[in-house]
Amino acid sequence: MNMFPSSPSIPTRKPSSLTLALSAAGLIGAASAASGAEQQLDEVRVHAERGGSFTGNAIQVGTFRDLDPLDVPLTNNLVTREVLDAQGARTLHGALRNTAGVAHAQIGNATYDNISIRGLLVDNQRNYRLNGSLPIVNLIDTPLENKERVEVLKGAASLYYGLVPPSGIVNLVTKRPADKPVTTLNTSVNEHGAADAHLDFSRRYGEGGDKGIRLNVAAGRQEVGLENYDGERSLFALAHDWRINSAVNFRVDIEHYRKDVSEPATILYKAGMRLPDPVDNRLNHAGEWQRYDAKATNVLARTDITLSDAWMLTLEAGQAETERDRNFSTFSFADPSTGDGTLNISYVRDQAFKNRNARSELVGTLTTGPVTHELTFGATTNTRTSRGESAPQVTGIAQNYFDPRNIERISAGTWKALTPARITDRGVYAFDRMSFGEHWQVLAGVRWGRYRSEAGTAKPYEVSSDSPNLSVIYKLNPNLSFYGSYLEALEETGVAGVQYANAGEVLEPAVNKQKEVGVKARLGSGMMLQAAYFDIERPQTTKDAANRFVIGGRSDYRGIELSAGGDIGRDWSVLASALFMDAEIVRVGPANAAQLGNTPQNTAKRTFSLFTEYRVPGVPGWSLNGGLYHVGERAVNNLEQAHVPSYTTVSLGTRYATRWGATPVKLQANLDNATDRDYWLGTGDNYLAAGLPRTLRVAASFEF
């Protein structure tokens, strides 16, 4: 039984690649400054972001960095700062619920957000990226105060990011130093007793404002409406830009954040049992002392160097590290009619997950006859490690589902080091966007990679592989494009456990295949519309007749995805999405034949979201907003032994911008889960986690 969802255990080593790459980035910048080279690069493509809008006209993910979404042959979604502000969003799930196919997986959202997209788990150590590059570790609530927007690129992304699941890339784009001074103080409280404050400060300095700094600092008390729950969180984030000269730009992002809260128990489904109704959303079956104490530090440096009018070199390097102590508990029923059961507690401490990432990339254009080539050549290396200790699980603690007992503190037993492992993913890639006149584009690329996995004392596993992709775009006009794409992507498949005959064997990477066709349009008001059909073939692991852990199954995910975002006239803004999906386990091994033809766990056939804001014409500065978020029925496991019901939550809000003397002030109120619905938010692997209760949050911000 996996007691720590999406949290693999990997060891720690100290490679020098990060230090060297960071030094190289800084030295090249300094050397260019000393040389005084005054080269001028004509921009290949310039996209100014729409300020204060529910949509944008550029994304920052993968090989599509700085591209108009109409030139991206995959489904992409964008949640802008304006949407985050209007909703008062504080968590990743709060932001990502605005995109189709998003569901919570396995656990609840009182500690951090474990997300799936289109029924595919978003890996917490590989699929979340900072500024399109650094893989951050999503095992602590990722703060949004210092983020300008959240982007989602759906589907396979191995060409740029190596071995990652085909769920998609979640990219968090940080706020940059502003051209004008910024000093904003944001404060908020909620009905349960939470309170926080956030300072956003930005200044430019130096000769001609060639340097800029953006500082975001936040701290506060955490309360989410659950019994036996409390905690605190904090954030320090610094973004710095330096225009060294006309040919060289350097920037760095540093963020450190912490969250220490009580972790509610997760419910376990037992085969043959009737699925229990969601517990009262204020109940907590764990003790207040069962903490989830985590901290994260992310550092990313980037240098852009103009080589000529048509070519640019980018060097990036960074490190992301998350550490945590966790007392994770599950509740199992003994008698569903009375609610009696037992609580089991698992302990980990000093668990640290670390990603080191470096990238060099050359981008430029050239023309061959009637064809214009926009070329990208890159090399990247990523090393993931971890360390930690665990103590024996404490089992059989009496608890009741309907009337939870107070759980007194139980000390952990003897601590033992977790199994060490180390994963290195290196690759080089080439990508060519070929333009044939004004209407046709052909995009072709391939990544050649080398993957190495070391687990405990087992023999290291190493493999070389490639990941090709091909796309075609037809632009009828600058605001309407049609596309088709085919991608192959690799992902890790895991290590055989002790229960298998090949215990300790590292399986070869699985090859995912994705096909997608779609259309994108931008209306005159700036409204962005997307429609796409996708087909993903994903191999899965199984057990063969010799009790070996092998790749022997396959699941197919097919569906239609729709989205719309932007302004409707002067007074309305809208962000909407919908997914209609047919997912099926189409091939299995002899040991899991009962799964054949089933829908994969935690995969909803229907999801939709709708958020809209109305700016009241007769009262300048006042707006009203509301949202609907629906997730369809989902299986608790691949055997479809039970299904959690569909749910729809409602959010309501209002904002008012005014002045108190010379100080601009914004007042705001947001009500989440407005109907106070009890529902199962997360499931999968037999886990059940309830959604949070209705929460009213009021906030005020002041600009100085």
Side-chain angles (χ1 to χ4, degrees), residues 485-487 513-517 533-537 557:
S485 61
Y486 173 79
L487 301 89
K513 298 180 180 180
Q514 176 180 319
K515 298 181 283 290
E516 182 171 317
V517 294
Y533 170 80
F534 63 88
D535 183 337
I536 300 173
E537 298 179 3
Y557 299 79

Side-chain angles (χ1 to χ4, degrees), residues 474-587:
Y474 175 70
K475 297 190 74 171
L476 183 64
N477 58 57
N479 293 314
L480 178 62
S481 64
F482 302 86
Y483 69 88
S485 61
Y486 173 79
L487 301 89
E488 291 186 6
L490 295 169
E491 71 167 313
E492 297 167 7
T493 48
V495 181
V498 295
Q499 68 271 35
Y500 297 104
N502 58 335
E505 180 181 345
V506 180
L507 299 191
E508 65 182 18
V511 180
N512 300 294
K513 298 180 180 180
Q514 176 180 319
K515 298 181 283 290
E516 182 171 317
V517 294
V519 57
K520 300 183 181 184
R522 180 180 290 114
L523 304 184
S525 63
M527 174 74 70
M528 173 68 72
L529 306 177
Q530 298 185 74
Y533 170 80
F534 63 88
D535 183 337
I536 300 173
E537 298 179 3
R538 188 193 196 195
Q540 65 184 37
T541 56
T542 184
K543 182 172 68 173
D544 66 12
N547 191 34
R548 292 174 52 83
F549 184 63
V550 297
I551 302 173
R554 197 186 87 198
S555 295
D556 289 353
Y557 299 79
R558 300 184 179 93
I560 295 174
E561 188 166 325
L562 310 170
S563 66
D567 301 326
I568 304 175
R570 295 172 55 89
D571 302 324
W572 284 96
S573 294
V574 66
L575 188 63
S577 70
L579 175 67
F580 306 91
M581 189 164 67
D582 179 19
E584 182 181 359
I585 299 172
V586 298
R587 188 167 66 233

